[in-house]
Amino acid sequence: MAPRILYVVTEDWYFLSHRLPMARAAKKAGYEVHVAARYLDGAAAVEAEGFVPHRLDWSRGSISARDSLAAILQLRRLMREVKPRLVHNVALKPVLLGTLAGYGLQDMAIVNTLTGMGALFVDGGGASGLTRKLVVMALSRLLRRVRSVTVVQNPEDRAFVAGLGVPEAAIMIIAGSGVDIEKYQPLPEPEGTVTAAFVGRMLQIKGVQTLVEAFRRATDGRADGKEPELHLVLAGDCDPENPGSLAPEQLREFASAYGITWLGRVEDVREVWKKAHFAVQPSRGGEGLPKSLLEAAASGRPMVATDVPGCREIAVPGKTGLLVPVDDVGALAIAMLELARDSSLRQRYGAEARRLTEEKFSSRVIGQEAVALYERLIAS
C-alpha cells in the first residue's frame, strides 16, 4: 500500500491555490495524498487530482479555546483513521492544532510550514498581547517535536524559528510551492496607459490603503487635462473572516474617487498580468513569499514592493524591481512613477524577474525539495 501523506490546511481554496504543486509532486512520487480542510466548494477539484478530501469543522478566523479543542479532537480522530506516515501542517493555525493533535503518535512524522508570521505578529491581527505570548510559547515547544521539521519561506522567518530554540537541523527554507513556469509565460507589454496591478486579498496588512493614497498622490496632476501617466488595478476579494479586511464599500469608493479599477476575485490572474505593465505589493509585513509576486515575475513583470521579508526575496533592487519602506506613501508613489516612465527599465527588470523564477522558484524544483524532505523524515 502506498504511504499516506495528510495535508492540514485552513480552507480548500488555499490548498488549491498555494499547495497544489507540492501535493502533485508527492502523488507523482508514489504517495497517497489526503487533504484535511474546511471545504467550501473545492472538494470536487481535490478529488479530481486523485487526492482524498476530509472535511474539518473549523473557522479560519476563530481562536477560541472551545473551537480549538474541538478541532484538535477532530484532527486526532482523523489521524488515527487515516494513519498517515507524515502530516504536513500549513500555516499557523494548522501548525498549532495539527501538532497538538498528533501528540504521542510517534510513528507519524510532521512537517510544519509557517507561511510568514502574518497579522498576529505585525499588527496583532485582532488578538491580545497575551494571545501572542501564548502562541510563541506553544510554538517554542511544538516545533521541537521529535521527527518533525519546520519549513519557512525566507531567512528572517528562519531566524525567528531558531530563536524559539528549534535546532538548525530541524529548520528548512522552501519557497512555498513555487510557481508553474509553464503555465505562467513571459508576456509582451500591453498598449495604452501604463498600468500597475496589485493581486491579493483586500487587507490592511497588505497595504492596500497605502497603495491607494500613493496612487492618488502619483496622479494628482491629472486634473489639468493631461493624459494620466498611470492606472491602478486591484484584483482580489475582501475577507469577512479577517478583522483587518477592507469593506467592499471602501473599495468601490476608492474606485469612484480615484479612477481605480477593482476587479474583485479573478479566477485566472494571467489575465491581470496581460493588461498590467508592472506589479505592486505594498505589504506591511508578515509575508512568507508572496505568490502574487512569483506569478508576476514568471509573467515577466517588474515589481514595486515594500522592503519586508518575503517581498525582498523576489523584488530584488536594481535587478527585478524597486523596494520602498513600509507605509511610505511618498516613496511608493515615486517608485511607481519611475517604472511608469521608463519602459526600458521595465523590460530589463521583467526579464530578470522571469530568469529568477526559472532558477529558484519553479514549482517543479520546489516539489522535488518537498518530496526529498518527506522521504528523509519517513525514513528516520
Side-chain angles (χ1 to χ4, degrees):
M1 186 174 75
R4 294 172 177 173
I5 287 181
L6 174 64
Y7 287 90
V8 181
V9 298
T10 49
E11 294 183 337
D12 52 358
W13 67 264
Y14 178 84
F15 172 80
L16 293 167
S17 174
H18 288 73
R19 296 292 140 179
L20 192 53
M22 191 173 284
R24 285 171 172 168
K27 182 173 181 291
K28 185 177 180 181
Y31 292 94
E32 182 179 304
V33 175
H34 295 247
V35 183
R38 182 173 77 159
Y39 281 85
L40 304 174
D41 55 9
V46 169
E47 290 176 337
E49 293 285 343
F51 309 150
V52 182
H54 300 275
R55 295 182 181 274
L56 295 179
D57 301 321
W58 67 6
S59 169
R60 174 165 46 90
S62 173
I63 57 173
S64 76
R66 185 178 66 178
D67 289 349
S68 296
L69 178 60
I72 291 168
L73 294 175
Q74 185 181 17
L75 280 169
R76 190 168 181 85
R77 287 194 297 269
L78 178 61
M79 290 172 185
R80 286 177 163 167
E81 174 191 330
V82 174
K83 295 181 173 60
R85 297 293 301 280
L86 182 141
V87 172
H88 190 157
N89 302 308
V90 182
L92 183 60
K93 183 169 183 172
V95 164
L96 291 170
L97 304 190
T99 307
L100 281 169
Y103 188 77
L105 303 178
Q106 296 299 330
D107 57 339
M108 180 182 74
I110 289 184
V111 173
N112 284 318
T113 291
L114 292 173
T115 57
M117 303 324 299
L120 184 65
F121 292 94
V122 176
D123 59 11
S128 67
L130 176 61
T131 298
R132 293 195 294 277
K133 289 180 181 178
L134 290 173
V135 167
V136 170
M137 288 175 58
L139 286 175
S140 68
R141 295 183 64 86
L142 295 174
L143 297 184
R144 286 185 280 175
R145 178 193 187 273
V146 176
R147 292 188 71 212
S148 73
V149 167
T150 301
V151 172
V152 293
Q153 300 182 15
N154 60 66
E156 288 81 3
D157 287 354
R158 179 176 187 137
F160 172 83
V161 173
L164 298 174
V166 180
E168 290 285 345
I171 311 171
M172 185 174 182
I173 295 179
I174 296 181
S177 279
V179 61
D180 187 341
I181 59 174
E182 301 301 324
K183 176 180 177 181
Y184 292 91
Q185 291 285 332
L187 298 167
E189 277 208 338
E191 300 290 333
T193 302
V194 174
T195 297
F198 166 79
V199 175
R201 288 178 295 161
M202 299 293 119
L203 306 179
Q204 293 177 15
I205 195 173
K206 296 291 186 181
V208 176
Q209 290 157 304
T210 300
L211 174 57
V212 169
E213 177 58 23
F215 174 73
R216 186 198 64 77
R217 188 174 299 186
T219 55
D220 254 353
R222 294 199 286 189
D224 59 7
K226 292 182 180 178
E227 184 71 18
E229 294 183 272
L230 184 65
H231 180 57
L232 176 63
V233 168
L234 305 176
D237 264 345
C238 301
D239 186 352
E241 289 195 33
N242 192 307
S245 177
L246 277 67
E249 295 77 17
Q250 288 177 281
L251 275 301
R252 286 192 283 268
E253 183 179 337
F254 291 152
S256 174
Y258 306 127
I260 295 168
T261 299
W262 176 41
L263 300 176
R265 182 181 178 184
V266 176
E267 292 296 332
D268 188 348
V269 297
R270 289 176 296 181
E271 296 302 314
V272 176
W273 301 125
K274 281 180 184 179
K275 300 170 184 176
H277 294 72
F278 64 92
V280 59
Q281 174 59 268
S283 172
R284 303 182 64 237
E287 301 282 354
L289 198 71
K291 178 172 175 276
S292 62
L293 286 187
L294 285 177
E295 292 168 347
S299 302
R301 294 296 182 246
M303 293 156 278
V304 175
T306 41
D307 190 6
V308 297
C311 289
R312 66 171 73 108
E313 310 304 310
I314 312 168
V316 182
K319 185 175 181 182
T320 65
L322 304 170
L323 288 179
V324 299
V326 173
D327 289 336
D328 192 327
V329 171
L332 182 56
I334 290 170
M336 292 168 68
L337 285 174
E338 182 177 347
L339 277 189
R341 292 167 175 168
D342 193 335
S343 61
S344 63
L345 187 65
R346 293 196 303 269
Q347 291 169 14
R348 177 160 60 88
Y349 284 172
E352 285 295 327
R354 171 66 188 189
R355 188 173 296 112
L356 181 65
T357 59
E358 292 175 345
E359 293 174 356
K360 291 184 62 176
F361 299 123
S362 78
S363 55
R364 179 182 59 81
V365 171
I366 301 302
Q368 290 172 349
E369 291 179 0
V371 168
L373 173 60
Y374 297 159
E375 292 176 347
R376 175 165 64 86
L377 271 175
I378 289 173
S380 71

